[in-house]
Amino acid sequence: MTDVLKADAHIQRQAVGERPVVDVAVGVLLQADGRFLLTSRPAGKVYAGYWEFPGGKLEAGESVAAALARELHEELGLVIAPSDVQAWREQLVDYPHALVRLHFCKVHAWRGDLQMREGQSFTWSGLPVQVAPVLPGALPVLEWLQAERLLLDK
């Protein structure tokens, strides 16, 4: 895992001292042409309106792949097999409201049509992204995807 990314460092943290880490499974859904899925955070959630890669919190005893499959179905109506989830990278993000360990996974195969079940928006994006604002925890992914693209272009 890389260093801790401190999001909105100018904002005081809600809890003082040691904060528990919240594990979150995050899907980087990639189409054959290299575009990836971004969704907006729904109204009423922290960082509402920010663009992110979809996913959600792991439940007790749940694997990252199982959590991602559950979250993508609940939020987007997509069906993925846990075996189609490719663990990719992790990033610890210190948000003002929580300390979050993001488990980024690449997903190349899924079934179903996108259904925005939480009233969010979506876009299939390339680099550079044309939507804003982007959630701080998603920014490293854009850098990693760009670095991979540069390696492939060599």
Side-chain angles (χ1 to χ4, degrees), residues 108-135:
H108 295 276
W110 56 88
R111 293 190 322 272
D113 295 323
L114 287 170
Q115 304 166 29
M116 300 292 105
R117 294 180 170 174
E118 295 184 342
Q120 69 273 52
S121 298
F122 77 92
T123 186
W124 288 101
S125 182
L127 294 170
V129 297
Q130 301 298 309
V131 294
V134 175
L135 194 66

Side-chain angles (χ1 to χ4, degrees), residues 99-111:
L99 185 59
V100 180
R101 181 182 299 115
L102 301 172
H103 300 266
F104 292 103
C105 303
K106 288 184 178 180
V107 180
H108 295 276
W110 56 88
R111 293 190 322 272

Side-chain angles (χ1 to χ4, degrees), residues 28-30 72 78-81 84-85 106-111:
V28 181
L29 279 70
L30 294 159
L72 292 179
L78 298 178
V79 177
I80 63 167
D84 287 331
V85 175
K106 288 184 178 180
V107 180
H108 295 276
W110 56 88
R111 293 190 322 272

